[in-house]
Amino acid sequence: MENNNNQGFLEKVFHLSENHTDVKTEFIAGVTTFMTMAYILAVNPNILSASGMDAGAVFTATALASLVATLLMAAFANYPFVLAPGMGLNAYFAYTVVLQMGYTWQMALAAVFVEGLIFILLSLTNVREAIFNAIPMNLKHAVSVGIGLFIAFIGLQNAKIVVDSATLVSVYSFKGSIEAGTFQAEGITVLLALIGILLTAVLVVKNVKGNILWGILGTWILGIICELVGLYRPDPELGMFSVLPDFSSGFGIPSMAPTFFKMDFSGILSLNFLTIMFAFLFVDMFDTLGTLIGVASKADMLDEDGKLPKIKGALMSDAVGTSLGAVFGTSTTTTFVESASGVAEGGRTGLTAVVSAALFGLALFLSPIFLAIPSFATAPALIVVGFLMITSITKIDFADYTEALPCYISMIAMPFMYSISEGIAMGVISYVVINLLTGRAKEKKISLLMYVLAVLFVLKYILI
């Protein structure tokens, strides 16, 4: 009886049946999304500590910022999107702003905080919503495809299936790892990732409930077995760590005091500060818009006009999350592209987000378990989700080259330029220019905002 009451409460709050989902599906989707992005709990402190920040404090700030911002997404928009400090933005924060440009991390946090406040104003004044709606439908589908290629590429790199080389990238050499004596430390994990991709693919084909989550857990368990029997030997120098949870330090939550409310606004009026803030603003805005476009498009959440019904709430949660994250002591908090993994599992409401948020809270207490999830176990999930995102390519009108070519440019820019925002920029610029020069702009009724965006993107490449 109590279980039915709980289900009735969740139905009332999240409108599950209206969104063609149920509690079990949402729970699996929430766990899956968290598992594919739990790496941020280990990676973000590692990157930001390079700027002089306390790694333990950043870990706690990362988990709390993710928890709060994701709950805001559920409350403001009832969408299955999960937020956390963004990759790329954290690297820009530590390596460019602090180490290269010489600003303190306290000043960088101030720039992130101000960026969040500007986002709140832009969200209240419908500017971000208008930008989302101005992007043509074909280009929206292309963004979904581009994100698919992008996260598949990230997965291939995380698993070390694709590695750096003289040709920029090449396939991992098993023969080379055997000759170098690194097969048991590195080569075995590449092999496990390949097995994980096949395992996840079979589960997807068989339509097993929770297929992507089972793929992650199955690959991780194989890694644990390999470590226990001596097939896998961790080597921290190669970036290969134990896949067994380490409880030697107990379950204490690191103090956030070293980073909490440590922003420095002394340089706020300088030109350099404005440049840094604009760079954060630009990348965050279009990464978020790209993620919302791509994932919502794949989940069939867009209406017949290509609009996302509750986008204002989604953007507001992102904006508030960014400023709160800066107060806690972490770089820009943004909507994660890994949310696509939960959507692929059938997640359609804020209940998915609540489950992921709860796991970020749990991670504070059980960090040894979540930090032990290896990248070779989550990589197959990203690669298979990439495939599911790429299927949106069938919705693009390839008969009209003025639509298809900008879509193609947008799609290939994301993985090759390693940025969702660059893919959107290239797509918008090429869409406007190609349609203008071929005399199709009036016929297409390209909005004034698209022209403004194209000019701003061009200026961005010139000035930043």
Side-chain angles (χ1 to χ4, degrees), residues 99-118:
L99 294 179
Q100 189 178 318
M101 298 178 73
Y103 284 87
T104 63
W105 57 264
Q106 290 92 338
M107 284 182 178
L109 281 179
V112 172
F113 179 78
V114 174
E115 172 220 338
L117 295 181
I118 293 171

Side-chain angles (χ1 to χ4, degrees), residues 161-197:
I161 295 168
V162 165
V163 292
D164 292 342
S165 77
T167 56
L168 290 184
V169 291
S170 63
V171 69
Y172 183 83
S173 171
F174 287 105
K175 183 184 176 186
S177 72
I178 292 168
E179 289 173 352
T182 59
F183 179 78
Q184 282 186 285
E186 194 174 62
I188 191 72
T189 67
V190 178
L191 198 57
L192 286 168
L194 291 169
I195 292 169
I197 293 167

Side-chain angles (χ1 to χ4, degrees), residues 26 50 93 100-101 120 163 168 174 197 201 212 235 237 240 263 304 312 317 386 400 402 418 423 432 440 446 448:
E26 295 290 299
F93 180 107
Q100 189 178 318
M101 298 178 73
I120 291 171
V163 292
L168 290 184
F174 287 105
I197 293 167
I212 292 166
D235 186 342
E237 285 188 17
M240 312 309 297
M263 297 165 291
E304 56 194 23
K312 184 176 279 189
S317 64
D400 182 351
T402 60
Y418 215 70
V432 170
R440 300 283 300 278
I446 298 173
L448 176 63

Side-chain angles (χ1 to χ4, degrees), residues 294-456:
V295 180
S297 172
K298 184 59 199 165
D300 293 323
M301 290 177 177
L302 303 181
D303 63 20
E304 56 194 23
D305 297 320
K307 296 178 180 179
L308 187 59
K310 289 170 282 190
I311 188 173
K312 184 176 279 189
L315 293 171
M316 185 59 76
S317 64
D318 184 272
V320 175
T322 291
S323 285
L324 278 178
V327 171
F328 294 156
T330 184
S331 52
T332 307
T333 302
T334 186
T335 308
F336 254 59
V337 71
E338 282 83 356
S339 300
S341 62
V343 167
E345 286 285 9
R348 292 294 180 273
T349 74
L351 183 53
T352 292
V354 168
V355 172
S356 292
L359 289 171
F360 272 112
L362 192 61
L364 282 168
F365 301 93
L366 302 176
S367 56
I369 294 173
F370 294 113
L371 295 179
I373 302 170
S375 56
F376 68 77
T378 56
L382 295 178
I383 293 163
V384 173
V385 168
F387 157 74
L388 296 172
M389 298 288 287
I390 285 169
T391 57
S392 293
I393 200 167
T394 59
K395 298 175 183 175
I396 296 171
D397 180 11
F398 283 101
D400 182 351
Y401 281 9
T402 60
E403 293 285 319
L405 279 167
C407 288
Y408 166 71
I409 290 166
S410 180
M411 287 186 289
I412 62 168
M414 288 190 195
F416 292 154
M417 296 179 182
Y418 215 70
S419 168
I420 294 170
S421 56
E422 299 296 0
I424 293 176
M426 292 293 171
V428 167
I429 292 169
S430 59
Y431 190 91
V432 170
V433 172
I434 289 171
N435 278 285
L436 261 179
L437 296 182
T438 55
R440 300 283 300 278
K442 276 190 179 178
E443 176 195 330
K444 294 284 182 69
K445 296 178 182 175
I446 298 173
S447 69
L448 176 63
L449 190 50
M450 276 288 281
Y451 289 108
V452 172
L453 284 175
V455 171
L456 288 175

